[in-house]
Amino acid sequence: MLSSWRRTREDQHVKERVASVFEDVMLRFSGSTLIHLLTLGLAASPLTNMDAVRLFCRTATLAVAVSYIYTLSFYSSCLVFTGYLETGYRHGCFCRRVPKQDRLDSKPAWYRYLMYTRYQDETLDPNPQDSHLLLGCMRRCYGDWITNTYVKPFVVLLYLVYISFGLMGFLQVSQGSDPSALVAMDTATVLYTRAQQHYFSSYSPVIGFYIYESAPYWNSSVQHDLLEYAKGFQRISWLEAYLNYLSDRNESTSQPRENFTHTLRHYFLKEPEFAHFADDIIFAERGQGEEPDVAASRIFLVAKTTENKREEMSILLDTLRRLSLTSRVRFLIFNPSFVYLDRYSTAVSSPLRHSLIAVIFLLALSSLALVEPLVAIWLGLTILSVQFGVLGFMTLWNVEMDCMSILCLIAAMGHSVDCSAPLLCCFASGRGESRTRWVRVALERHGIPSLQTLICYSASLVPLGSVRSNLTSTLFRCLMITACCSALHTLAFLPTLLTFLPPSKNRPGPHPDTDSHHRQEVECVEMNDTRVVDQITTV
């Protein structure tokens, strides 16, 4: 909005300037806001089974809506206020009328520095925007360089390299289910996790096998089932130790309930080597003079795994859970790491599904808004390309698919739309000139605002890189990759590809150097200032 405002003339009426800005900006701004609301809304919906993602996206959706309302109301009002200040030749910060040049020269240096405006240079510089360093470089250097015939093959080669490395990382995407990623770096939890992975990485976490109902443990068939469930594991089992204890005493393992429970309570658990099993058994009193029942018990299991530890744990978890539903002995299995295995079971598919739905919505929105159809196609391809690059490069930067990286993937979609949509719309709206000419015009009008946005965005991320936290480090890496991928597409890939790919420029249209906001009518504006003529006629 600010860039479009600065392209208007100060001698225009404020209403016309504001109308020109809204005409130039608000359609794209509304479209990108809808994309943000859609992607964040999908992530906050029941389609996502991750509470952390839903909570963040609900808050972010509210923030986007408030930002849109703020831009329409307060920020637009600031532009109107600034317009009236400029009409009255007043300073934008101090609201004081700027003195004439001869009177300003007699003031102290600090006063001249504070009260300087570009009105003094209008007579010398007919196009004051060229005095802006970035805009001048974009207009005179970068636009000609990026559209040069000899530079285009290298940009296309760079895009192929970008896709290749993105594919390399995409094929190595792994789920981030390590609980230590949630705590700060260099803590006791992280040190313990590293030691466990270094020395005992071939073993799974300790799985708790909880029998939460009173079961007939004295029955031989029940004993056989429980031993079969634990077969193949490294076990810490009171039942197995008790059955071996009975065998060593030449007693039958299949006994009446009273004998089985009596021996368990008064002999087995009294032995010093088996006394620690008392914490694994809960007894329930039955009646006066009767032996209590085993109301609940637990067994600990450890599985031998290979390098694909997480995949094997997921398969093992699903197998044991299905078995718990069909077994006649009611049991549960649990380990704190299962929380993360469950949480990230759909970590890869969920953001990709949201991305595809958002792209489909974007195509439908563009068709309803009567935007150039090829713009919608280009924008959809750009979103997918940025998403693909972010997903691949973050994997190459040792970032796994956890809750934070998923949030960054969702945010990357809206960020890529904000950067590339103005450039694409400006290019597609042009007619009557060559593709190269309209690419340069699009870069002049929208390249610098996008570049400034990306610079501010990247600068705001720099403090995150110094925070000693795994989640914050993941946030920094993903958002920095998002900024870099969006910058590459906006300033390099799209300007090059648009010079030889559709849409066509054969139909006649406005010349790129003409201002689309020129009016045909004649308007007289009264100016109460002695530096200009009393009446200015603008055509």
Side-chain angles (χ1 to χ4, degrees):
M1 288 185 71
L2 185 59
S3 176
S4 179
W5 173 265
R6 285 308 171 194
R7 288 198 300 269
T8 59
R9 303 189 309 273
E10 288 81 3
D11 56 350
Q12 278 184 289
H13 195 274
V14 175
K15 292 182 179 179
E16 290 188 356
R17 298 181 69 184
V18 174
S20 175
V21 170
F22 273 65
E23 179 185 356
D24 186 34
V25 173
M26 288 312 297
L27 180 60
R28 292 187 294 270
F29 179 56
S30 301
S32 62
T33 301
L34 287 177
I35 293 297
H36 278 292
L37 294 176
L38 175 71
T39 53
L40 295 171
L42 286 173
S45 68
L47 293 175
T48 302
N49 60 351
M50 301 170 65
D51 292 337
V53 175
R54 280 204 296 247
L55 178 62
F56 175 86
C57 291
R58 281 198 296 266
T59 309
T61 302
L62 179 62
V64 171
V66 171
S67 175
Y68 185 75
I69 297 173
Y70 163 83
T71 304
L72 286 180
S73 56
F74 182 78
Y75 192 76
S76 301
S77 302
C78 292
L79 291 182
V80 174
F81 180 72
T82 303
Y84 282 111
L85 289 178
E86 292 177 350
T87 302
Y89 286 90
R90 294 183 179 274
H91 196 277
C93 295
F94 305 108
C95 301
R96 290 179 57 87
R97 190 176 181 85
V98 179
K100 296 180 181 180
Q101 187 64 39
D102 54 351
R103 295 183 58 187
L104 188 63
D105 293 338
S106 62
K107 299 292 184 179
W110 64 268
Y111 186 86
R112 293 198 304 269
Y113 177 78
L114 292 178
M115 296 300 292
Y116 171 80
T117 64
R118 63 175 183 164
Y119 298 123
Q120 285 83 6
D121 299 334
E122 286 184 347
T123 57
L124 302 177
D125 188 0
N127 194 359
Q129 288 186 352
D130 284 341
S131 60
H132 193 284
L133 177 62
L134 291 178
L135 185 58
C137 293
M138 182 68 70
R139 176 172 295 177
R140 292 188 293 266
C141 301
Y142 185 77
D144 296 336
W145 178 79
I146 198 65
T147 56
N148 189 283
T149 305
Y150 300 102
V151 176
K152 293 178 185 178
F154 293 98
V155 178
V156 174
L157 180 61
L158 178 62
Y159 184 72
L160 295 178
V161 173
Y162 167 85
I163 291 296
S164 301
F165 277 92
L167 180 61
M168 184 189 307
F170 181 79
L171 296 177
Q172 302 176 25
V173 171
S174 59
Q175 298 179 9
S177 55
D178 190 359
S180 63
L182 301 178
V183 299
M185 297 179 180
D186 303 327
T187 57
T189 302
V190 176
L191 297 177
Y192 162 77
T193 304
R194 291 174 181 172
Q196 194 273 339
Q197 291 176 352
H198 179 73
Y199 295 105
F200 303 100
S201 60
S202 59
Y203 293 93
S204 72
V206 179
I207 303 172
F209 188 98
Y210 300 91
I211 304 171
Y212 59 91
E213 290 183 353
S214 180
Y217 297 95
W218 57 88
N219 193 313
S220 59
S221 61
V222 173
Q223 297 172 5
H224 177 269
D225 290 342
L226 293 177
L227 293 177
E228 189 67 24
Y229 297 157
K231 185 178 180 180
F233 291 90
Q234 301 291 331
R235 300 170 297 276
I236 305 175
S237 172
W238 70 268
L239 179 62
E240 186 175 356
Y242 181 52
L243 296 180
N244 293 333
Y245 174 80
L246 293 177
S247 299
D248 293 340
R249 295 181 57 178
N250 295 323
E251 296 184 17
S252 173
T253 56
S254 178
Q255 300 178 0
R257 183 189 65 81
E258 291 79 4
N259 296 342
F260 186 89
T261 307
H262 180 79
T263 305
L264 174 64
R265 295 179 63 220
H266 297 286
Y267 294 98
F268 176 74
L269 296 179
K270 299 298 182 181
E271 295 285 342
E273 58 181 312
F274 303 123
H276 62 279
F277 286 121
D279 295 331
D280 299 336
I281 306 172
I282 301 297
F283 293 98
E285 298 293 338
R286 290 176 60 88
Q288 189 68 25
E290 295 186 13
E291 285 293 334
D293 277 339
V294 179
S297 66
R298 65 183 180 183
I299 299 172
F300 294 105
L301 309 175
V302 179
K304 186 78 172 178
T305 61
T306 60
E307 294 181 358
N308 298 324
K309 182 177 178 180
R310 292 173 184 166
E311 290 76 6
E312 292 185 3
M313 283 299 299
S314 299
I315 296 174
L316 178 63
L317 180 62
D318 294 337
T319 302
L320 291 176
R321 281 177 173 172
R322 288 195 299 267
L323 186 62
S324 67
L325 299 177
T326 58
S327 173
R328 56 177 159 175
V329 179
R330 311 302 295 176
F331 67 88
L332 295 171
I333 57 169
F334 182 74
N335 180 274
S337 63
F338 290 174
V339 175
Y340 304 95
L341 291 174
D342 291 339
R343 179 179 293 274
Y344 302 113
S345 59
T346 59
V348 177
S349 60
S350 178
L352 296 181
R353 181 174 65 248
H354 295 160
S355 302
L356 292 176
I357 295 176
V359 169
I360 294 173
F361 175 79
L362 176 65
L363 296 176
L365 177 66
S366 300
S367 61
L368 292 176
L370 300 178
V371 181
E372 179 75 27
L374 286 175
V375 174
I377 297 176
W378 271 108
L379 197 53
L381 293 176
T382 303
I383 292 173
L384 293 179
S385 180
V386 172
Q387 289 281 91
F388 184 78
V390 172
L391 186 61
F393 282 99
M394 77 178 192
T395 304
L396 296 179
W397 203 357
N398 298 325
V399 177
E400 297 178 332
M401 290 296 295
D402 55 14
C403 61
M404 187 59 67
S405 57
I406 292 175
L407 293 175
C408 295
L409 284 176
I410 296 172
M413 179 178 300
H415 186 73
S416 60
V417 172
D418 286 339
C419 292
S420 58
L423 183 77
L424 289 170
C425 292
C426 181
F427 175 81
S429 63
R431 294 292 184 271
E433 291 284 339
S434 64
R435 301 174 188 274
T436 301
R437 177 57 181 155
W438 276 106
V439 166
R440 294 173 183 173
V441 171
L443 285 174
E444 291 175 10
R445 294 181 180 176
H446 303 288
I448 292 302
S450 298
L451 179 61
Q452 290 174 329
T453 300
L454 291 168
I455 291 175
C456 296
Y457 185 79
S458 302
S460 65
L461 296 177
V462 172
L464 296 180
S466 61
V467 179
R468 303 294 295 171
S469 171
N470 290 287
L471 286 180
T472 309
S473 176
T474 299
L475 177 67
F476 168 74
R477 295 182 182 185
C478 291
L479 293 183
M480 188 61 71
I481 293 174
T482 298
C484 294
C485 291
S486 300
L488 280 175
H489 283 77
T490 304
L491 301 176
F493 297 153
L494 285 177
T496 300
L497 296 177
L498 289 174
T499 57
F500 56 86
L501 292 176
S504 175
K505 299 298 176 189
N506 294 328
R507 287 179 292 175
H511 193 274
D513 292 331
T514 60
D515 189 356
S516 61
H517 308 300
H518 281 179
R519 301 290 190 264
Q520 295 298 326
E521 67 272 16
V522 176
E523 179 184 4
C524 295
V525 182
E526 295 293 338
M527 304 295 294
N528 297 322
D529 191 79
T530 58
R531 291 176 297 175
V532 295
V533 295
D534 293 335
Q535 185 171 334
I536 299 177
T537 304
T538 58
V539 182

